[in-house]
Amino acid sequence: MRTAIVFLAVATLAGCAGIQSPLSPAGDQAAALHSLSTLMMIVCGAVYLIVLLGIVWSVLRSGTQRRFDSASGGERRLDRGLYVAASAIVIGLTVLIVGSFIADRALVAAREDDAVIVRITGHQWWWRIEYRDPASGRWIETANELHLPLARTTRVQLASADVIHSFWVPNVAGKIDMIPGRRNVVDLTPRRLGWFRGQCTEFCGAQHAHMAFDVKVDGQAAFDSWLARQGSAGAPRRQSGRGASVFVQVCGSCHRVRGTEARGRAGPDLTHFASRRSIAAGTLPMSRGGIQGWLAQPQALKPGTSMPTVPLEPADADAVATYLETLR
């Protein structure tokens, strides 16, 4: 029994911090929602306590079996108690309405002309992420890893390519659905540097649990440098190399690598694939073993994923893995 209590206490406290916790806000929107939830807990807790005290008083009053009449003033005291309780409920509801209005205003307080514009499209089961280049206006595509500038608002335009998904970075902002045929918008204004974790929170199929993404908050200079690198084609690729040749032939119809003949759009853009922290939307860590495992058995690691199992000779698979490691 004691072990179970300790376990529950540790599990509860563990949810109050970390890279995926709404109880550890690291952005303006998350802080507004956290404040609202704290206010709701206080108001609802006070109402709950009043109700409990009323129940206890009623039980004790019933136990005394007293007879109150109008002359004694007992019923008048009861009436006053009811008026006080009703007034407390009205005041509590008013406080919650005002708090909700203030929090709602905070969620959309950013000015669009000052914001970084990002488009995110949910797929089963990965994320297509596109940044609008402020200089040229063109879109810079990446996948499964979102970078945000510190203390600056990023306006994220959300859409879905197939079924309903839901976008949520608990430490930074609240969640919002991604609905086919509709574009929703959420603002993210991070206030703390570091890595966080996002997740799809609307059941979207067999691999819903493996539809995560990493979020990196950088200073403005570091973010600008990262975005410039993402907009480039990267280091020159050897078109005649074995790994590049096999990749273009086998993978180029589904994946794109800028600067090569691989121009597919069905799957994620892999131009800077090896610079990411994970593979297949958080399914595997980025490593040589992870790349080789994903090439060899994608359906075993993520059943139902759109990436088919491609029969490659061991030497070809090793060459492709080596090539993918150069895509930084």
Side-chain angles (χ1 to χ4, degrees):
M1 182 64 179
R2 181 180 299 175
T3 303
I5 293 174
V6 172
F7 174 78
L8 289 174
V10 171
T12 301
L13 292 174
C16 297
I19 61 172
Q20 191 178 8
S21 172
L23 300 180
S24 178
D28 289 354
Q29 293 75 21
L33 294 173
H34 183 265
S35 298
L36 179 60
S37 64
T38 301
L39 179 64
M40 291 183 66
M41 287 291 292
I42 294 172
V43 172
C44 294
V47 172
Y48 182 66
L49 181 60
I50 291 172
V51 171
L52 285 182
L53 291 174
I55 292 173
V56 171
W57 179 80
S58 299
V59 171
L60 294 177
R61 180 175 181 267
S62 176
T64 59
Q65 295 183 347
R66 294 177 181 175
R67 295 183 178 273
F68 290 93
D69 53 35
S70 299
S72 68
E75 294 301 332
R76 286 194 297 272
R77 286 196 298 271
L78 179 60
D79 291 342
R80 286 196 295 270
L82 292 175
Y83 293 147
V84 170
S87 299
I89 292 173
V90 171
I91 292 171
L93 289 175
T94 302
V95 169
L96 290 180
I97 291 171
V98 172
S100 178
F101 175 78
I102 294 172
D104 191 54
R105 295 276 294 177
L107 297 182
V108 291
R111 292 173 53 191
E112 185 171 3
D113 55 351
D114 294 332
V116 177
I117 305 299
V118 178
R119 293 191 310 209
I120 298 182
T121 305
H123 296 257
Q124 289 178 308
W125 292 274
W126 61 280
W127 310 83
R128 188 188 302 276
I129 303 175
E130 300 167 280
Y131 290 80
R132 190 173 70 188
D133 187 341
S136 65
R138 69 189 180 94
W139 292 95
I140 299 170
E141 184 173 330
T142 180
N144 300 326
E145 189 169 291
L146 178 63
H147 284 241
L148 303 172
L150 180 70
R152 184 180 175 190
T153 297
T154 298
R155 177 151 291 176
V156 183
Q157 302 171 356
L158 301 167
S160 172
D162 35 53
V163 300
I164 296 177
H165 301 283
S166 191
F167 175 90
W168 193 27
V169 188
N171 298 76
V172 183
K175 58 185 175 181
I176 186 169
D177 283 349
M178 308 167 77
I179 302 170
R182 179 182 177 88
R183 191 172 295 278
N184 289 331
V185 176
V186 64
D187 287 346
L188 310 177
T189 312
R191 297 292 178 180
R192 196 164 75 218
L193 296 171
W195 286 96
F196 303 97
R197 187 177 186 272
Q199 178 71 44
C200 175
T201 56
E202 180 80 25
F203 181 73
C204 54
Q207 293 303 315
H208 164 68
H210 289 152
M211 189 174 171
F213 58 98
D214 292 307
V215 180
K216 177 67 183 302
V217 178
D218 290 313
Q220 186 66 54
F223 172 79
D224 291 340
S225 176
W226 173 86
L227 187 60
R229 290 195 304 272
Q230 293 296 309
S232 71
R237 270 86 181 188
R238 294 180 301 163
Q239 296 288 342
S240 58
R242 182 173 184 177
S245 177
V246 173
F247 177 86
V248 170
Q249 293 175 12
V250 177
C251 311
S253 61
C254 290
H255 296 283
R256 180 187 183 194
V257 174
R258 294 192 295 275
T260 75
E261 293 301 313
R263 298 172 182 173
R265 292 280 295 166
D269 186 305
L270 301 183
T271 303
H272 298 279
F273 168 74
S275 68
R276 300 168 194 161
R277 294 186 84 194
S278 66
I279 301 169
T283 304
L284 297 169
M286 180 61 69
S287 65
R288 179 60 179 270
I291 295 173
Q292 291 177 319
W294 183 246
L295 288 173
Q297 295 290 340
Q299 292 299 322
L301 294 168
K302 198 169 182 176
T305 183
S306 297
M307 180 168 170
T309 300
V310 181
L312 291 173
E313 294 296 327
D316 287 341
D318 186 66
V320 171
T322 300
Y323 172 68
L324 289 173
E325 281 191 299
T326 69
L327 303 181
R328 295 185 177 275

